[in-house]
Amino acid sequence: MSAKETKERILKCATELILERGGDISSVTIRTIAARAGIGVGLTNHYFESKDQLIEECIENVFAELFEKLMNDGKRTEETDTADGTLTGSAPEANGRSGWDPLDLELDNELLSGLYDMNDEEGSLKERNDQVVNSFEITDESGSDEATRKTAGLVLDFLIKNEAIAKAALVRDAQNPLQTDYTARLTDAFAYAMVDKKKLNEIKNNDRMTDHMKEQFGEHIINDQKLKAFMIMSSVKEALIRREVLKTSMEIDLNDDTQRGRYVDSLMELLY
């Protein structure tokens, strides 16, 4: 076998063992992985410095599919007018400039009058940008109930169908919470999927805004969804881990597509 084939075989066998043992990675050892792969422990250690690194790659390979789905579902196809290249659905032009008021905000006229003066020093312009971004609160209009419901269903479906790997990842997160762990990354991807992409596109294509402003407005829109995303992820994660308990104590069988859908609907009703 080539080096690439050997590494892939090790990952495949490690993943199989995690699945067979219901996500209990403590019972999966380098020795059992090597035995399943039909190679020596030394060769396994050659490709992976530690068991943690090996398990992490197994989990990452599985979760990559979910992250890709979330990002793809969060994107809208950008259609343009063949006549003038204007983004379909964008605000009409007024006096040669976009008539769209950023995020429909009521901004101070004096602040706006100097906001787009590109002759200002960069520091002064950045200060104005910060003032504008901090002068508003984003409403629920920046996302949609339907997008949230769809994303929650997608995440729960994926976690249930990949239960052993999902449990291995989420239990590790609970034991050692990090800003870059799977729970955090899923929450971020979830928040992005929930965002109204039309708003983001309007920001991106608004020539009255500096790049710094566009970045800040975009971050605010996504961050506004993160609390909801975290609350939903927490509920979905707990439902996955306590799936059997839910089945016996509340008669909710998350393996059943219909009941899983009802669980998501109930969750949305509570949050909205």
Side-chain angles (χ1 to χ4, degrees), residues 29-234:
T29 66
I30 291 292
R31 190 170 297 279
T32 58
I33 295 169
R36 173 67 64 90
I39 60 176
V41 171
L43 187 56
T44 305
N45 288 329
H46 171 73
Y47 287 102
F48 300 95
E49 295 180 358
S50 66
K51 171 186 163 181
D52 281 346
Q53 182 194 357
L54 174 49
I55 297 298
E56 177 63 26
E57 287 202 32
C58 291
I59 294 172
E60 182 66 32
N61 286 343
V62 173
F63 269 81
E65 179 187 346
L66 177 56
F67 289 126
E68 184 177 357
K69 282 183 179 179
L70 285 173
M71 297 308 287
N72 287 339
D73 281 9
K75 293 177 181 176
R76 287 184 181 174
T77 302
E78 291 187 3
E79 299 177 355
T80 58
D81 244 341
T82 54
D84 58 14
T86 304
L87 185 69
T88 299
S90 58
E93 295 292 311
N95 299 322
R97 300 176 67 181
S98 170
W100 172 73
D101 186 29
L103 302 184
D104 299 321
L105 306 178
E106 293 183 4
L107 300 177
D108 182 84
N109 289 331
E110 183 178 348
L111 182 62
L112 277 175
S113 66
L115 180 61
Y116 302 107
D117 183 359
M118 302 310 292
N119 294 319
D120 279 359
E121 294 295 327
E122 183 178 349
S124 175
L125 184 59
K126 179 182 182 301
E127 190 174 298
R128 284 199 176 109
N129 289 345
D130 291 340
Q131 283 180 277
V132 174
V133 170
N134 292 327
S135 71
F136 70 89
E137 292 182 1
I138 299 209
T139 68
D140 286 340
E141 292 179 357
S142 60
S144 74
D145 296 1
E146 186 55 38
T148 305
R149 186 185 305 273
K150 179 181 178 182
T151 305
L154 187 155
V155 171
L156 186 54
D157 286 352
F158 182 90
L159 296 181
I160 291 294
K161 291 171 183 175
N162 296 276
E163 183 177 0
I165 294 292
K167 278 186 176 180
L170 299 178
V171 167
R172 279 168 50 129
D173 289 357
Q175 293 171 340
N176 184 32
L178 299 170
Q179 290 186 347
T180 55
D181 63 21
Y182 286 97
T183 299
R185 289 168 61 192
L186 273 175
T187 299
D188 287 347
F190 202 159
Y192 175 77
M194 291 161 56
V195 164
D196 183 345
K197 301 308 178 301
K198 184 178 178 181
K199 289 285 189 186
L200 290 182
N201 280 330
E202 286 174 339
I203 290 172
K204 178 182 176 181
N205 292 286
N206 190 295
D207 58 8
R208 296 173 61 200
M209 300 174 72
T210 66
D211 288 343
H212 179 70
M213 280 192 69
K214 290 177 183 180
E215 181 180 352
Q216 286 191 296
F217 274 118
E219 286 178 0
H220 269 273
I221 289 176
I222 295 172
N223 286 338
D224 185 61
Q225 300 300 320
K226 282 189 178 180
L227 179 58
K228 289 180 190 172
F230 177 77
M231 293 168 70
I232 296 169
M233 262 308 303
S234 297

